[in-house]
Amino acid sequence: MGYVGEIFVMAMTAIFINNFVLAKFLGLCPYLGVSKKLDSAFGMGMAVIFVMTLASAITFLIRSYLLLEYELGYLQTIAFILTIAALVQFVEMVIQKNAPALYKSLGVFLPLITTNCAVLGVAILNTEAKLSSGSDYRFIDAVLNGFFSGIGFTVVLLAMAGIRERLELVDIPKSMRGMPIALILAGIMALAFYGFMGFKI
Amino acid sequence: MKFLSELTKGIIKDNPIFVLVLGVCPTLAVSTSVKNAIGMGFAATFVLVCSNMIISLIKGFTPPKIRIPVYIVVIASFVSIVDMMMAAYIPDLHKNLGLFIPLIVVNCIILGRAEAFASKNNLINSLADGVGMGLGFTLALMVIATIREILGAGTWLGIPVIPASFEFKPILVAILAPGAFITLGFLMALVNLIKERK
């Protein structure tokens, strides 16, 4: 299988088969918290794709050229979370200065992303993941995996927001409103995504 | 007196999972069996208690503008300690919990208590708050894990609890991802119902 095939497998796995939210339970706080309206869900999704791709690239470089080079592997958790926090802060400042329009739509979501476990999750998973040919991730694989995982997150976030917007019009028992019904919805979506699990690419 | 109320509020009244809805990711991911739930609960409690104490001690000279990075470094250090200790002494459990041990760093319960409580209160009260919140988290995890393990595998902590004459067929979906969402959804609805009745 050529490299394009590898990329295709990686994309399908990250988006459908092993979805970050529904199969790996990463990034649930924004998934449940920012899915009430389609607009804000879209903004959050874009911000997450952007930060996950960048964070995958930078944490990969830090791990290969700093941590492994100087045998500091045990500092990985601290190094990664600080990198992500600094990166998010930096991106926020750059966007605010150079693209005020974009900042208006994404700005409020950026600080929330630091504590989104999907970002730290993808950085750690990239260190352990293997290509289907069995070799370790190279730089470009890590970046692509971050990008596709972000897309997987956005797809289910948008689907959830679409359903919840309609749910506003439905008469739900009082004790089920809000979080409980959102969780049960997520469960049904996860069940639907299990249908993809049978696929062997 | 204050000590006691800080200690007990996390267990029921301000339970981090059912009432404050914090730290949902690890809750759903590790509640597949009671053993994993206890392991995760105690790991998070240890980090919570230690980071609460340190943050309460350094609150006098932490510059307010960079307080969040400071908290994150404190929390990440304790998470690394837990990660290495578990890998050394309980490798099986460490393998089961996997990714979710380093992810304790971004567990909102811990950063949330640091910001909302430990940065404003003294050492003793912060210690009580950490223990109470940690136990509340552990108990909630155990409740969810008990339901999922009994339904999904017919066991509790690995011991079969349903008599063989009952001919119980395990509902596998309960220990898979969808079961986690649905169980927590119904438990939260139950909590809301109890609050309404009061």
Side-chain angles (χ1 to χ4, degrees):
Chain A
M1 190 166 29
Y3 189 61
V4 179
E6 293 266 15
I7 302 291
F8 182 73
V9 172
M10 192 196 279
M12 287 301 125
T13 310
I15 299 172
F16 295 112
I17 301 170
N18 229 335
N19 188 281
F20 247 60
V21 179
L22 297 174
K24 288 193 193 138
F25 299 113
L26 293 170
L28 282 173
C29 297
Y31 176 65
L32 296 170
V34 204
S35 60
K36 283 200 185 111
K37 285 213 177 76
L38 262 177
D39 298 349
S40 48
F42 187 75
M44 184 68 177
M46 289 302 120
V48 166
I49 294 180
F50 188 61
V51 173
M52 269 171 107
T53 314
L54 262 181
S56 298
I58 295 185
T59 51
F60 188 88
L61 292 178
I62 289 203
R63 184 176 129 91
S64 7
Y65 294 107
L66 271 176
L67 297 180
L68 295 185
E69 195 89 338
Y70 298 103
E71 295 179 358
L72 294 170
Y74 56 89
L75 285 179
Q76 181 172 299
T77 311
I78 303 180
F80 279 12
I81 187 69
L82 278 182
T83 315
I84 291 168
L87 177 76
V88 172
Q89 194 82 54
F90 179 70
V91 168
E92 194 183 347
M93 285 192 291
V94 169
I95 294 183
Q96 190 173 16
K97 191 109 178 50
N98 295 325
L102 188 66
Y103 181 74
K104 259 195 178 158
S105 54
L106 292 191
V108 281
F109 304 112
L110 281 171
L112 289 175
I113 292 179
T114 315
T115 52
N116 182 341
C117 46
V119 181
L120 184 61
V122 79
I124 297 174
L125 283 175
N126 276 340
T127 68
E128 301 161 353
K130 296 244 189 289
L131 289 172
S132 50
S133 58
S135 53
D136 282 336
Y137 271 17
R138 288 160 301 162
F139 178 69
I140 183 75
D141 305 319
V143 176
L144 282 173
N145 190 35
F147 177 68
F148 291 133
S149 303
I151 292 194
F153 174 83
T154 309
V155 166
V156 289
L157 181 67
L158 286 177
M160 183 72 165
I163 301 174
R164 279 181 85 176
E165 273 197 346
R166 306 209 157 193
L167 219 56
E168 295 279 301
L169 310 168
V170 182
D171 188 23
I172 305 168
K174 205 171 158 222
S175 52
M176 294 291 277
R177 276 178 210 165
M179 207 47 95
I181 193 74
L183 279 163
I184 288 166
L185 258 178
I188 297 170
M189 273 175 80
L191 213 51
F193 268 69
Y194 257 73
F196 293 115
M197 279 239 171
F199 287 116
K200 283 253 160 31
I201 311 178
Chain B
M1 221 31 230
K2 180 123 193 284
F3 180 81
L4 262 184
S5 68
E6 298 298 355
L7 190 69
T8 52
K9 73 169 186 242
I11 297 173
I12 293 170
K13 195 171 111 271
D14 280 341
N15 187 290
I17 291 176
F18 293 131
V19 183
L20 305 180
V21 201
L22 293 171
V24 191
C25 306
T27 310
L28 294 178
V30 304
S31 58
T32 47
S33 73
V34 179
K35 194 175 155 225
N36 287 354
I38 295 175
M40 182 69 193
F42 281 119
T45 307
F46 172 78
V47 176
L48 185 57
V49 171
C50 295
S51 65
N52 252 7
M53 282 163 63
I54 298 287
I55 286 162
S56 160
L57 282 177
I58 60 170
K59 66 175 183 289
F61 43 91
T62 313
K65 275 201 170 157
I66 56 154
R67 65 182 195 287
I68 301 287
V70 171
Y71 298 162
I72 290 179
V73 174
V74 172
I75 294 167
S77 315
F78 285 114
V79 171
S80 301
I81 294 173
V82 169
D83 195 12
M84 282 181 258
M85 292 285 273
M86 286 179 84
Y89 291 106
I90 27 178
D92 290 346
L93 190 61
H94 183 263
K95 216 175 151 201
N96 281 346
L97 298 177
L99 179 63
F100 285 90
I101 296 285
L103 284 183
I104 298 177
V105 179
V106 282
N107 188 325
C108 353
I109 298 174
I110 296 171
L111 194 61
R113 292 328 286 172
E115 169 77 4
F117 195 91
S119 59
K120 298 183 189 102
N121 288 280
N122 65 23
L123 180 67
I124 302 292
N125 283 343
S126 300
L127 172 77
D129 180 75
V131 173
M133 282 287 165
L135 284 181
F137 178 63
T138 313
L139 277 178
L141 267 178
M142 281 179 70
V143 170
I144 300 167
T146 301
I147 296 174
R148 289 181 67 191
E149 199 183 329
I150 290 180
L151 285 181
T155 58
W156 192 81
L157 249 175
I159 309 156
V161 282
I162 295 174
S165 56
F166 195 68
E167 285 189 14
F168 172 76
K169 290 226 168 54
I171 312 161
L172 190 64
V173 77
I175 45 175
L176 297 177
F181 287 111
I182 294 172
T183 311
L184 185 59
F186 277 115
L187 280 173
M188 275 184 181
L190 191 70
V191 171
N192 285 349
L193 199 68
I194 293 168
K195 271 200 278 184
E196 272 171 39
R197 288 276 158 85
K198 263 183 190 170

